[in-house]
Amino acid sequence: GEDVEQSLFLSVREGDSSVINCTYTDSSSTYLYWYKQEPGAGLQLLTYIFSNMDMKQDQRLTVLLNKKDKHLSLRIADTQTGDSAIYFCAESPAFYGNKLVFGAGTILRVKS
Amino acid sequence: DTAVSQTPKYLVTQMGNDKSIKCEQNLGHDTMYWYKQDSKKFLKIMFSYNNKELIINETVPNRFSPKSPDKAHLNLHINSLELGDSAVYFCASSLSQGTETGVYTGELFFGEGSRLTVL
């Protein structure tokens, strides 16, 4: 089955690192994604990782993938107030075309 | 310039009415989607079309009818609106396969959402 779970809320101080965690169920997912949604806006792709990778770094973002445990994490270094948003983890089950299955989203609040 | 555009952005209507939301993408993608985001921000796929053909139809009431006149457009018509239909509806588009010049990532590009409020 398809199911993606995330913690619902994370609060950090400006300048600290944020780590958002996600677990997924479908091991056939070729790609796993992190999307960001700012208030009143649509979702925008932040980063993605190919399923045969363990880690991907993109400027302040680090994605870690533990395929054995089906665990994905997003680390944001030097978190800024502009990073406050909802972060969605998504998997792409291989046999469902391009269907993405999203987690419930993690609300990140950055305190100055 | 907008990649995926939806109209209207806000829609307030009475129970029992029929309404439509339109979506257009200018990215040259061949696949389009409708997602529903409820009040708890949970995002769930409703439909997907590839080159005007329905390929994903999740468990959605028959009152919801998507229509894709061409691969750049995907509209959503809702009959007999109910209170529980209140949500933000997101249109999205993607490629279904890689191109000669790019790496295929399966990325979905989302519109800004259409907030439907049923009174």
Side-chain angles (χ1 to χ4, degrees):
Chain A
E2 317 139 14
D3 196 16
V4 178
E5 293 192 357
Q6 307 178 227
S7 49
L8 292 183
F9 186 76
L10 176 65
S11 180
V12 300
R13 292 201 175 279
E14 196 173 16
D16 288 350
S17 290
S18 309
V19 179
I20 302 171
N21 294 302
C22 166
T23 55
Y24 62 97
T25 54
D26 199 310
S27 57
S28 70
S29 293
T30 308
Y31 290 95
L32 293 139
Y33 306 85
W34 284 104
Y35 277 81
K36 177 182 180 183
Q37 184 181 28
E38 295 184 357
L43 280 73
Q44 288 198 301
L45 182 70
L46 258 188
T47 187
Y48 65 91
I49 187 165
F50 192 46
S51 59
N52 68 355
M53 296 169 67
D54 299 323
M55 185 181 93
K56 181 179 179 183
Q57 185 133 12
D58 185 359
Q59 300 182 333
R60 293 190 297 121
L61 306 177
T62 304
V63 180
L64 295 178
L65 175 60
N66 180 329
K67 211 171 171 186
K68 176 174 163 285
D69 294 339
K70 296 190 187 115
H71 183 265
L72 184 73
S73 68
L74 173 70
R75 180 176 179 268
I76 306 173
D78 187 25
T79 314
Q80 303 296 307
T81 53
D83 294 325
S84 292
I86 305 176
Y87 291 80
F88 291 91
C89 168
E91 63 174 354
S92 57
F95 301 107
Y96 289 91
N98 271 41
K99 169 181 166 180
L100 294 194
V101 178
F102 288 86
T106 300
I107 299 171
L108 174 63
R109 190 178 82 170
V110 183
K111 295 179 284 190
S112 55
Chain B
D1 204 30
T2 307
V4 182
S5 58
Q6 320 178 203
T7 54
K9 193 164 178 170
Y10 299 98
L11 189 52
V12 181
T13 189
Q14 300 283 340
M15 269 175 58
N17 283 350
D18 304 338
K19 290 292 176 189
S20 292
I21 308 171
K22 296 186 175 185
C23 179
E24 176 182 2
Q25 55 95 5
N26 62 4
L27 296 166
H29 289 164
D30 57 359
T31 306
M32 295 184 73
Y33 312 79
W34 279 109
Y35 276 82
K36 179 181 179 181
Q37 186 174 46
D38 63 22
S39 58
K40 294 181 181 171
K41 304 298 183 186
F42 187 64
L43 200 65
K44 192 162 170 61
I45 191 166
M46 300 173 71
F47 302 103
S48 174
Y49 271 74
N50 176 260
N51 282 315
K52 304 193 295 174
E53 186 184 335
L54 181 66
I55 55 170
I56 293 174
N57 184 353
E58 293 291 291
T59 310
V60 176
N62 290 339
R63 300 181 294 103
F64 289 79
S65 51
K67 271 211 175 89
S68 182
D70 56 61
K71 69 177 189 178
H73 295 84
L74 180 62
N75 303 322
L76 183 65
H77 187 75
I78 316 169
N79 287 327
S80 304
L81 278 155
E82 299 178 358
L83 293 176
D85 298 332
S86 295
V88 182
Y89 292 84
F90 284 99
C91 177
S93 72
S94 73
L95 290 168
S96 60
Q97 57 190 4
T99 64
E100 288 177 1
T101 55
V103 174
Y104 178 68
T105 64
E107 177 185 355
L108 265 61
F109 291 77
F110 284 83
E112 302 245 310
S114 297
R115 181 177 291 277
L116 172 65
T117 304
V118 182
L119 303 173

